Amino acid sequence: MSQRQYTFPRESESLETAPRLLYLSQAQYSGEWNSSLHTHGCAELFFITGGHGRFRFQQREFPVSIHDAVIVNANVPHTEVSQLESPLEYKVLGVEGLGTLAGGEGYAMLHLHSGWDALMVCLDLMLQEASQAQPGYEQVCRSLSTAVMILLSRQQNAALSGGPPDARSNRECGLVRRYIDNHFKENLSLDQLAQMVHLNKYYLAHAFRREFGVSPINYLVSRRIEESRFLLRETDHTLSLIAQILGFSSLSYFSQCFRRIEGVSPLEYRRRNR
């Protein structure tokens, strides 16, 4: 295995609230490559720059080639496999305090249709700075790693999490909540809400929960149930009509959500409050 790796000292405790670059390296597959499952105490962001290979996890394996990026969360067993005929080449960042929310397995694979050249410029400059080790190179590399994470977060399925909430995510989450308050009777989905505020849906779900303690869809359901209590008390509408008015996909789903939140069925709630 041919590899160059550069490590960076930890910053002071007061700064350890955002994702931090711990190391970066550049590797090429060789006959000495050890392809056994292993873990790291930080997330790793792989950018495939040449050759062909496969990423292997405990329950899954998939092929990778140039323009692919693989995000592996901390403590997720993984390994890379390749062949000498077309040796896998990649650049990798080790980042503490970062992870992917996409899927539930702790990793994500992206094929970068756009933004690849900008990412390579940042990564190549980071490697150059680290190899020359001029004064201030650590700060330059960490700033460039932030740029890499921002560029990567723009991809449709990256869904990165980490770091303190920023003003933009707070603002967008507030917009989504107000929109739900005004349109909860409509047929809303997480995809629609994310598209409205131009955020990745996984990032929106994470940021909304961080801001309000509940996911966007559960907040939508709670607003519908709140309205249903009024309709059950004050009208003679059938349960089917109430479910339809409030945008539930079926009567059974309405009853299920109502029982989960209120602890009783809609009919029992009506009986107790009439």
Side-chain angles (χ1 to χ4, degrees), residues 112-223:
L112 304 182
H113 300 284
S114 62
W116 181 261
D117 291 342
L119 285 166
M120 290 302 103
V121 168
C122 293
L123 293 168
D124 288 340
L125 185 53
M126 290 171 69
L127 287 165
Q128 177 183 319
E129 284 285 327
S131 64
Q132 294 176 354
Q134 294 291 320
Y137 79 94
E138 299 101 327
Q139 183 177 356
V140 172
C141 287
R142 285 197 165 107
S143 296
L144 287 167
S145 71
T146 299
V148 167
M149 288 181 276
I150 291 172
L151 291 170
L152 195 59
S153 69
R154 294 174 180 173
Q155 299 297 320
Q156 181 68 24
N157 298 315
L160 297 178
S161 68
D166 54 46
R168 180 174 183 268
S169 67
N170 289 345
R171 183 174 64 253
E172 310 305 353
C173 289
L175 288 173
V176 168
R177 186 172 70 167
R178 286 194 294 275
Y179 188 85
I180 292 174
D181 286 338
N182 293 323
H183 300 270
F184 63 86
K185 295 180 182 180
E186 299 174 12
N187 183 23
L188 302 179
S189 69
L190 184 59
D191 288 292
Q192 291 172 309
L193 296 171
Q195 185 177 10
M196 181 184 71
V197 291
H198 308 291
L199 290 178
N200 179 282
K201 65 179 181 179
Y202 300 106
Y203 177 81
L204 171 62
H206 175 75
F208 196 98
R209 181 181 293 276
R210 182 179 61 199
E211 185 71 12
F212 302 117
V214 64
S215 71
I217 297 305
N218 283 340
Y219 182 76
L220 169 64
V221 170
S222 70
R223 288 291 290 111

Side-chain angles (χ1 to χ4, degrees), residues 30-90:
S30 67
E32 296 79 35
W33 194 300
N34 180 15
S35 295
S36 58
L37 290 173
H38 60 280
T39 64
H40 299 277
C42 65
E44 286 196 323
L45 282 61
F46 294 85
F47 301 89
I48 311 304
T49 56
H52 295 82
R54 302 187 307 281
F55 263 72
R56 180 178 297 164
F57 298 87
Q58 286 183 311
Q59 304 296 331
R60 188 185 174 197
E61 181 177 309
F62 51 78
V64 291
S65 59
I66 190 170
H67 285 204
D68 286 340
V70 182
I71 308 168
V72 183
N73 286 355
N75 304 313
V76 173
H78 67 282
T79 190
E80 309 88 57
V81 183
S82 186
Q83 301 292 332
L84 293 175
E85 294 79 15
S86 181
L88 191 66
E89 301 175 21
Y90 61 72

